Amino acid sequence: MYINAIYFGNGVYGIEAAAQFYFNKTTATLSDGELLFLSAIPNNPTLYDPLVNFENTKMRQERIIEQLVITNLLSEDQGALLKDENITLNLSGK
């Protein structure tokens, strides 16, 4: 329930709404890198607002990836690929 109600900045609540707003896609069609990018936002929606602070959001995404590698939820190679993935916003305009 929480992931469907959490604030993702810019008036967007919930992971599905965030996927639609920031990428104009459903969560089912997001890449793992895009999902991890979105997961960076709720920690501090102002600091990690990708419309204003894209680099902050990207750095937070990479930190999350590093934590997944450290805890062996991702391999080093998977982590490197995710960090290198090009993240391109495609705003839906709500």
Side-chain angles (χ1 to χ4, degrees):
M1 280 302 275
Y2 181 69
I3 198 72
N4 292 320
I6 194 168
Y7 186 57
F8 283 86
N10 296 295
V12 177
Y13 290 86
I15 188 74
E16 190 63 38
Q20 290 289 333
F21 181 79
Y22 292 112
F23 293 109
N24 204 19
K25 297 180 182 179
T26 65
T27 53
T29 61
L30 290 178
S31 69
D32 290 341
E34 290 167 335
L35 283 167
L36 287 163
F37 186 83
L38 288 181
S39 75
I41 298 170
N43 181 266
N44 185 333
T46 301
L47 179 63
Y48 301 120
D49 178 349
L51 303 184
V52 179
N53 300 309
F54 185 90
E55 285 305 312
N56 288 351
T57 315
K58 181 64 178 154
M59 288 186 337
R60 173 90 176 134
Q61 176 224 32
E62 291 180 6
R63 184 176 186 290
I64 292 167
I65 292 167
E66 289 168 8
Q67 292 301 309
L68 292 171
V69 170
I70 288 169
T71 57
N72 294 314
L73 293 170
L74 291 174
S75 70
E76 298 241 356
D77 289 341
Q78 289 171 315
L81 285 172
L82 287 169
K83 285 182 181 181
D84 289 342
E85 182 180 326
N86 183 39
I87 302 296
T88 303
L89 300 178
N90 181 13
L91 301 181
S92 70
K94 273 200 203 172

